[in-house]
Each structure stands twice: as C-alpha cells, then as structure tokens.
Amino acid sequence: MNFYPLYETAPGAGTYQLGSVLIVAASTSAAVAVAAQSAPEGCRTGVWPYKAVAGLPDSVPPAEGESGQMYDVLAEPEGPTGTFSRSGQVFGSFGADASGMALSLERFFGYRLGLIPQGAKPAPAATPAPASSSGTTSAATPSGSGTTVSSGGSATPAG
C-alpha cells in the first residue's frame, strides 16, 4: 500500500502537514513506523493512504500485527491545502486494514483522510552524538540513496 507522512505542524498543535515522501508499506502501522523516523522533535506522526488509480481500493486483510490497531481520523475538508486535523472519527484494522476504509470514504466525503495511531506519542528529542576521541561532536544526519526501509515498508522521495 502507498502512504504519505503527516507530521504535526508544531508540538501539541493538533494540525498535521502532508509530507512529500512516498511510503510503500504492508500496513498502516508499518507506514507510521517509517514516517516516524523523520518526525520533527516533539511532533506526532500519521499517514495519508494514497491510491493513484480512480475507484475503490482493493480489500486488504490486516498484515501480521496490524489487526486490532485503532486510528484517529485526520481530515482535510477545506480541499487540498496539505493541512489535516482530527475529525472525531476512529477507524480500526479488523477485517481489513484501516487505510482501505480511509480511501473508500475519501470518495464519499470528497476530501482526503489521514490516520494517526490512537495515543500517538510525540517524536523524541534528538540525541547528540557522543564526543569522539579528538573532542569534536557531530550530529547524526540521514544518508543514503533516499530510500529507508523499516517495519516492512520503504520511503522514496516523490517526483
């Protein structure tokens, strides 16, 4: 399944900004785990399920570990602004992954829906790297070809 990350705009803000990195993951919780790796300090993370082709999503049974996961629904009712906020709805992954329900109801409501795990915790503060033997420190920075794999998913820059 395809997802895009949703990051809280500021710690405790309750509004979420749509990210630009496509995440391919086996489940909603796996996509959240991948997105959380790049979460701003103190901010919570959700995901927006994405399907490029028109029509309803395929029914996808919950992946191992996904069944029973509960998500607060984030909505973007003002149109494609990139800013989502809680809608008051809750979806669960029981007979199918909750992302399929979000995709289906997007067509009914006419606006995008995202998912954030219930009780999501803010991203931890960055930990500084330990001092080297020469007495200098360096901050950890992401590196590589732009692809991150974790929790059964991967992220690749959109483009």
Side-chain angles (χ1 to χ4, degrees):
M1 292 184 283
N2 295 328
F3 301 86
Y4 281 94
L6 291 167
Y7 297 116
E8 198 168 26
T9 56
T15 56
Y16 297 79
Q17 187 65 41
L18 184 62
S20 62
V21 174
L22 176 65
I23 300 169
V24 176
S27 68
T28 302
S29 56
V32 170
V34 171
Q37 295 175 8
S38 301
E41 181 180 326
C43 295
R44 292 172 287 186
T45 303
V47 292
W48 170 55
Y50 174 74
K51 183 174 179 175
V53 180
L56 295 176
D58 298 328
S59 177
V60 178
E64 186 176 329
E66 178 66 22
S67 188
Q69 297 294 320
M70 299 295 290
Y71 300 93
D72 288 321
V73 178
L74 304 174
E76 188 189 32
E78 302 302 321
T81 62
T83 302
F84 292 67
S85 58
R86 283 197 165 98
S87 71
Q89 298 177 68
V90 176
F91 292 172
S93 292
F94 292 101
D97 193 292
S99 63
M101 189 179 320
L103 286 169
S104 296
L105 288 175
E106 280 185 1
R107 307 242 335 146
F108 176 78
F109 291 130
Y111 52 82
R112 299 189 289 193
L113 300 174
L115 302 168
I116 184 169
Q118 283 198 318
K121 303 285 187 253
T127 22
S132 67
S133 60
S134 65
T136 61
T137 60
S138 65
T141 56
S143 62
S145 66
T147 300
T148 303
V149 177
S150 174
S151 301
S154 65
T156 55

